[in-house]
Amino acid sequence: NAGVTQTPKFQVLKTGQSMTLQCAQDMNHNSMYWYRQDPGMGLRLIYYSASEGTTDKGEVPNGYNVSRLNKREFSLRLESAAPSQTSVYFCASSVTSGSLSEQYFGPGTRLTVT
Amino acid sequence: GENVEQHPSTLSVQEGDSAVIKCTYSDSASNYFPWYKQELGKGPQLIIDIRSNVGEKKDQRIAVTLNKTAKHFSLHITETQPEDSAVYFCAASTEDKVIFGPGTSLSVIP
């Protein structure tokens, strides 16, 4: 099993450009998550999908949209990138909906917006 | 809002010594407390977790303690090794959400 995979690993965007971060898991997990990680601030939840067909906002959703394409895939879109969105983005998945189970993380996407 | 505090932010220990990282949480509904280890360039990985009906859990050199009354939980690593060097995150979860601490950068000096 590959676990949770993310593409791309690195990306540089200019302000105003758009892009989609891709995430896929092969563990048959129901729930998937997108986090951003900034120095000294830990992991902050952007959006999550408790189950296929549902998505909900997390702590910092502004400037992002998500799509739960199927049970395996959960994408994060930046419609108009801003320098404040420079961060490392992690996708994660867990067996059950809710937050009472282990989350498995992907390797991350390092995004720089100039 | 709800938050999780974590101390210290950086920690250096000599190889073979113990390391302790402490967290406090604010949401009294939290009942699941995982600890994640993040190595450079990788995503976080669960190393140990504890649920609210348990006061202590141990797995080889790693142990976690929980004081629900005081809303404190701690990670203890004994006999530290250079490969323990990483960033460690605590988290507190309710049924609706999980909140992560800001992380502790642990360096084990050979």
Side-chain angles (χ1 to χ4, degrees), chain B residues 5 10 12 29 34 36 39 49 61-62 70 77 96 100-101 104:
Chain B
E5 295 183 358
T10 60
S12 290
Y36 289 84
E39 297 177 340
D49 55 12
R61 297 185 296 109
I62 295 173
I77 306 174
D96 299 320
F100 287 84
T104 295

Side-chain angles (χ1 to χ4, degrees), chain B residues 7-26:
Chain B
H7 299 281
S9 57
T10 60
L11 179 60
S12 290
V13 299
Q14 291 291 135
E15 182 177 358
D17 288 349
S18 295
V20 180
I21 302 170
K22 298 182 179 182
C23 289
T24 60
Y25 61 97
S26 60

Side-chain angles (χ1 to χ4, degrees), chain B residues 26-40:
Chain B
S26 60
D27 191 344
S28 57
S30 299
N31 53 11
Y32 173 60
F33 306 90
W35 285 88
Y36 289 84
K37 176 184 180 182
Q38 185 179 23
E39 297 177 340
L40 197 62

